[in-house]
């Protein structure tokens, strides 16, 4: 099990987080892939190699759907015993190797740090993305402290180039007693 970049712990500067490897599957070293979102899942099919924390760059041997998730196999990893150390490792891609996301999509890693506006007023900053592909939740850090969760795929949420816009959210999503 070798990589071109050695056993580097973190990815090179600017690499885009796609998701995390889950449990092993089968005896040939495949692993479940838990993407940050639909664009990341779709990109994995197009990539030839990825950066895996703790190992460095690994060539992708195969990506295939498995129920509602994906299975990924890497070159040089042929047995479940070789794959087990990769469980929970983060998977990154070089930005230049990523295909453009489908219309209306955006890589989740690109959302981090974007300001969030609710009905045109500043609300917070995207800190993280949680959930599963297709049902992602934005974790928004509030300037006065605390966090809020906002469903990314909701009809009242729009991701613009430099901000996330929330227009007319349903009652209870944002505390009606708060001053924005």
């Amino acid at each position: 099990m070798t990589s071109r970049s050695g056993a580097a712990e973190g990815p090179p500067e600017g690499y885009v987080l796609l998701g995390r490897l889950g449990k092993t599957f089968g005896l040939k070293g495949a692993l479940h892939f838990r993407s940050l979102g639909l664009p990341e899942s779709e990109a994995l099919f197009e990539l030839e190699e990825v950066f895996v924390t703790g190992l460095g760059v690994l060539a992708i041997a195969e990506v295939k759907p498995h129920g509602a998730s994906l299975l990924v196999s890497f070159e040089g990893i042929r047995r479940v015993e070789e794959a087990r150390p990769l469980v929970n490792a983060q998977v990154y891609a070089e930005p230049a190797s990523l295909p453009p996301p489908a219309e209306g999509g955006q890589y989740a890693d690109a959302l981090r740090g974007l300001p969030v506006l609710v009905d045109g007023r500043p609300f917070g900053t995207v800190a993280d993305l949680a959930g599963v592909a297709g049902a992602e939740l934005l974790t928004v850090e509030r300037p006065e402290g605390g966090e809020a969760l906002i469903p990314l795929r909701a009809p009242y949420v729009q991701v613009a180039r430099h901000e996330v816009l929330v227009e007319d959210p349903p009652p209870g999503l944002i505390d009606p007693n708060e001053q924005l």
Side-chain angles (χ1 to χ4, degrees), residues 133-144:
E136 302 92 346
L137 295 170
L138 295 173
T139 302
V140 180
E141 286 184 355
R142 302 298 314 277
E144 65 278 358

Side-chain angles (χ1 to χ4, degrees), residues 76-143:
I77 298 176
R78 302 189 197 311
R79 298 178 352 170
V80 68
E81 294 81 14
E82 296 170 331
R84 278 192 189 117
L86 300 178
V87 172
N88 292 323
Q90 291 181 316
V91 177
Y92 294 83
E94 181 181 13
S97 69
L98 288 170
E103 188 174 331
Q106 188 168 6
Y107 291 108
D109 208 28
L111 298 174
R112 286 186 178 85
L114 289 182
V116 177
L117 304 176
V118 175
D119 294 328
R121 294 175 284 185
F123 181 72
T125 304
V126 176
D128 204 359
L129 199 74
V132 296
E136 302 92 346
L137 295 170
L138 295 173
T139 302
V140 180
E141 286 184 355
R142 302 298 314 277

Side-chain angles (χ1 to χ4, degrees), residues 11-94:
E13 179 97 16
Y15 270 47
V16 176
L17 178 63
L18 300 179
R20 181 178 297 275
L21 295 172
K23 293 181 180 181
T24 59
F25 179 83
L27 299 175
K28 295 183 180 179
L31 293 127
H32 286 273
F33 176 71
R34 303 195 190 310
S35 72
L36 289 180
L38 190 56
E40 290 81 1
S41 291
E42 292 171 350
L44 197 62
F45 284 99
E46 305 294 322
L47 296 171
E48 294 180 15
E49 62 185 26
V50 291
F51 182 95
V52 178
T53 54
L55 286 179
V57 176
L58 294 177
I60 296 174
E62 182 180 30
V63 177
K64 62 182 179 181
H66 179 74
S69 67
L70 297 178
L71 294 177
V72 62
S73 299
F74 296 104
E75 295 288 335
I77 298 176
R78 302 189 197 311
R79 298 178 352 170
V80 68
E81 294 81 14
E82 296 170 331
R84 278 192 189 117
L86 300 178
V87 172
N88 292 323
Q90 291 181 316
V91 177
Y92 294 83
E94 181 181 13

